[in-house]
Amino acid sequence: MEAIEELAVQPCTSSLYLRPFRLSYRQNGTKKFWDFMRTHDSVSILIFNTSRQCFVVVKQFRPAVYMCEMERHHPQVFQNQDKENLPSLENPLPAVVGVTYELCAGIVDKPGLSLEEIACEEVLEECGYRVSIADLRRITSYRSGVGVTGSRQTLFYAEVNDQMRTSGGGGQPEEGELIEVVEIPLEESMKFAYDETFPKTMGVIFSFMWFHNNIAPKLPKK
């Protein structure tokens, strides 16, 4: 996962996932504009393995996170962003700075499938557990990237056990996915959520808190 080589930054003139726009508008009599990107909505799934009393999350390299760290250490990387040829990335940082812990998730890009069906597919592909729509509990939906994308993510909860695991997960290599499945023991989950040495998404923190408020009190006492 962390064997990243031959980095190069280039202008993005077209994308299957992002479309940049500029909105001009008038608000309370003042003329304004705002740059934004249209992208896909998404689903995410908080997975709890009842056999081992642990959360199942994923770990993967995120180029956007990596480049934020690159810019922080090497500000010149994006200084010439309007030029056709951007500087080559000399002295790159170790790839681990771009690795994050996340909930199992996926974009909503299949018009024929419901959010629940997409969530079930993602759980199987990324984490190896076969769940049905009946196994899902919808927690809530929220807006992410409100300053840039405004996309909606819908969060589900699913309980699994060891018998429901049919593969090792890991995503779809043919689509370039390289995902590591990680188990976070329940008793260590809130410490993990607030430990900044483990880079993670807000979805992990929020969903762990939701679990401790809504599910944990109903668990059998040891």
Side-chain angles (χ1 to χ4, degrees), residues 191-205:
K191 179 181 178 181
F192 173 84
Y194 288 103
D195 189 340
E196 295 184 10
T197 63
F198 296 101
K200 65 189 71 68
T201 63
M202 178 54 69
V204 171
I205 300 173

Side-chain angles (χ1 to χ4, degrees), residues 5-207:
E5 302 173 308
E6 301 180 10
L7 291 93
V9 179
Q10 304 167 346
C12 181
T13 57
S14 64
S15 171
L16 296 174
Y17 308 103
L18 303 173
R19 291 176 292 151
F21 295 95
R22 172 167 292 182
L23 176 69
S24 298
Y25 62 103
R26 188 178 297 277
Q27 184 178 28
N28 292 345
T30 301
K31 188 69 175 178
K32 298 182 179 181
F33 70 87
W34 192 267
D35 297 335
F36 67 99
M37 291 187 294
R38 285 297 302 125
T39 187
H40 294 285
D41 289 340
S42 61
V43 297
S44 60
I45 309 94
L46 172 63
I47 304 171
F48 183 69
N49 185 313
T50 58
S51 298
R52 290 195 299 284
Q53 296 289 291
C54 66
F55 295 106
V56 181
V57 300
V58 297
K59 179 182 175 184
Q60 56 188 317
F61 175 78
R62 290 298 195 180
V65 174
Y66 180 82
M67 290 310 298
C68 283
E69 289 299 307
M70 277 291 293
E71 184 179 21
R72 190 163 68 88
H73 289 82
H74 305 288
Q76 71 278 8
V77 168
F78 293 111
Q79 286 179 350
N80 299 321
Q81 58 183 334
D82 294 327
K83 294 185 178 181
E84 184 174 347
N85 295 317
L86 295 172
S88 59
L89 301 181
E90 300 179 357
N91 302 317
L93 299 173
V96 68
V97 303
V99 174
T100 60
Y101 294 83
E102 310 168 16
L103 297 179
C104 171
I107 60 175
V108 178
D109 62 347
K110 299 171 182 176
L113 298 183
S114 66
L115 296 180
E116 290 79 6
E117 289 171 322
I118 293 174
C120 290
E121 284 192 353
E122 294 299 334
V123 172
L124 180 60
E125 292 173 3
E126 294 192 358
C127 299
Y129 292 91
R130 187 175 299 279
V131 300
S132 67
I133 291 177
D135 296 319
L136 296 177
R137 172 177 173 179
R138 187 181 187 277
I139 299 176
T140 190
S141 67
Y142 44 83
R143 297 288 180 174
S144 59
V146 293
V148 180
T149 68
S151 59
R152 180 190 297 274
Q153 183 165 94
T154 302
L155 173 62
F156 295 96
Y157 170 66
E159 290 185 357
V160 300
N161 56 51
D162 288 346
Q163 288 68 44
M164 297 167 66
R165 193 166 195 185
T166 60
S167 73
Q172 296 182 306
E174 65 274 15
E175 295 183 2
E177 291 184 323
L178 182 59
I179 295 172
E180 179 181 340
V181 181
V182 179
E183 295 183 344
I184 308 296
L186 174 59
E187 63 271 19
E188 300 175 11
S189 57
M190 292 313 299
K191 179 181 178 181
F192 173 84
Y194 288 103
D195 189 340
E196 295 184 10
T197 63
F198 296 101
K200 65 189 71 68
T201 63
M202 178 54 69
V204 171
I205 300 173
F206 169 76
S207 62

